[in-house]
Amino acid sequence: GGGREGEGRSGTEKMSATPSKAEIKQALKDNMRELKSLGSRTQDASRQISDATDALCQFPYLRPSVGVLPGTSSHLLKLEGTVQMMYQGHGYFVPLAVYLRDEHPASPPICVVTPTPEMTIKPNHRHVDVAGIVYLPYLHEWTKKSNLIEAIKAISAVFTSDPFIYKKPSQPAQSSSHSSSNSVSRTQPPYASANGASPVVHPTKPPPPYGSTGGVTRTPDRPVPTVDKAMSKQLSTSMMSKAREMEELDSVLENSFRCPISMEIMVDPVFAADGHTYERAEMERWLISKSTSPLTNEVLPHKMLVPNHNLRSQIREYVEKHPNAR
């Protein structure tokens, strides 16, 4: 779901880590100029800039850009990033993209939950479909007096009562085809803290690793059997399964390198007092106005940040091998 179509190409790059209202407005003006050059028919650019500015000041981890609405060729103003949402007293950074239509504010924004590879949208959720598109009474009853801040707050309220995005359950690659969607709904929300704030409920009877028939003991003096078609097919299936396993491991590894605030692969990872690792610029920005942990919401004993040299070396090595990782 989600994806990264239509990344912003102007304006946003000029913004500082903690942009002022003036910087935000300038970035949005650059975005509107780009939209005009692309042939978009924005009906009220000043209203879009005003509403987007208010939302970006309220939710500092969203950034403006020009984006292509998934499944269409329409270029729209997009606010994308993460929004802190609460669940059982703990804060979670939920990836979200908000697209403002050309008719804004006459038409409601299109809000899309954009899960990362290690996350999944809860099946059959009342307010978020499988593609991540959000459906809410506030959006359905949208008027010209409605605003983006209240829309995002309404999405956050839904997460608090019924989380729509979860961390994928950790289970063997050869999982049973009988696993029901209920097993997903009982896993932990994204980025649960290590103190067990959101316990994982595993399936009742997970399949044994590598299956119960995979181990074949071979006597040293016994000749190697001829590989017939059935065995060849089995070996091929096994190799494909192993390849998928390696891809999944790569995905897990990459996501362990992402800052839980920005969702981007870290460049300068640092330990905070809560024991978690963050991108230095993101954590410094957080600590300007807050003294709590971004992940647990607990008060930090201090605001010192310690470089995570080991993780930084691992990230550099990974990025060299995977230049397209971001």
Side-chain angles (χ1 to χ4, degrees), residues 98-113:
V98 179
Y99 295 85
L100 278 64
R101 305 189 207 202
D102 290 339
E103 302 82 11
H104 181 89
S107 296
I110 299 169
C111 303
V112 185
V113 178

Side-chain angles (χ1 to χ4, degrees), residues 255-299:
N255 284 297
S256 70
F257 296 155
R258 293 184 183 276
C259 171
I261 296 175
S262 68
M263 303 299 297
E264 297 294 329
I265 291 179
M266 292 178 279
V267 176
D268 186 8
V270 292
F271 286 113
D274 61 358
H276 295 284
T277 298
Y278 306 89
E279 174 62 42
R280 180 184 292 277
E282 297 294 341
M283 194 58 186
E284 286 178 345
R285 179 170 57 175
W286 173 271
L287 293 174
I288 289 173
S289 59
K290 299 180 179 66
S291 57
T292 55
S293 163
L295 289 178
T296 67
N297 247 22
E298 295 176 0
V299 177

Side-chain angles (χ1 to χ4, degrees), residues 203-278:
T204 308
K205 293 182 179 180
Y210 312 113
S212 57
T213 59
V216 179
T217 304
R218 191 172 66 193
T219 307
D221 58 353
R222 187 174 298 172
V224 178
T226 303
V227 179
D228 58 19
K229 288 184 178 179
M231 186 176 290
S232 176
K233 184 177 180 181
Q234 185 178 0
L235 286 171
S236 176
T237 303
S238 176
M239 288 174 67
M240 289 173 64
S241 176
K242 179 60 69 176
R244 281 195 299 270
E245 238 179 275
M246 293 304 293
E247 286 179 3
E248 289 173 6
L249 284 173
D250 265 353
S251 177
V252 170
L253 183 63
E254 177 179 319
N255 284 297
S256 70
F257 296 155
R258 293 184 183 276
C259 171
I261 296 175
S262 68
M263 303 299 297
E264 297 294 329
I265 291 179
M266 292 178 279
V267 176
D268 186 8
V270 292
F271 286 113
D274 61 358
H276 295 284
T277 298
Y278 306 89

Side-chain angles (χ1 to χ4, degrees), residues 76-142:
L76 302 174
L77 178 62
K78 177 174 69 169
L79 312 182
E80 185 178 37
T82 58
V83 175
Q84 188 185 34
M85 301 185 187
M86 304 302 294
Y87 178 68
Q88 294 184 349
H90 294 267
Y92 298 92
F93 286 91
V94 177
L96 184 70
V98 179
Y99 295 85
L100 278 64
R101 305 189 207 202
D102 290 339
E103 302 82 11
H104 181 89
S107 296
I110 299 169
C111 303
V112 185
V113 178
T114 55
T116 56
E118 87 281 14
M119 296 155 69
T120 185
I121 292 173
K122 180 181 178 181
N124 305 313
H125 194 280
R126 183 179 177 185
H127 296 292
V128 181
D129 69 14
V130 68
I133 298 175
V134 178
Y135 300 90
L136 289 175
Y138 188 86
L139 297 174
H140 181 69
E141 298 162 5
W142 182 273

Side-chain angles (χ1 to χ4, degrees), residues 180-202:
S180 68
S181 61
N182 291 333
S183 64
V184 176
S185 65
R186 291 181 292 144
T187 56
Q188 61 184 1
Y191 314 112
S193 57
N195 61 8
S198 305
V200 181
V201 181
H202 295 287

Side-chain angles (χ1 to χ4, degrees), residues 109 111 136 138-139 142 147-156:
C111 303
L136 289 175
Y138 188 86
L139 297 174
W142 182 273
N147 65 77
L148 300 175
I149 293 176
E150 292 304 318
I152 295 173
K153 283 183 177 179
I155 297 171
S156 182

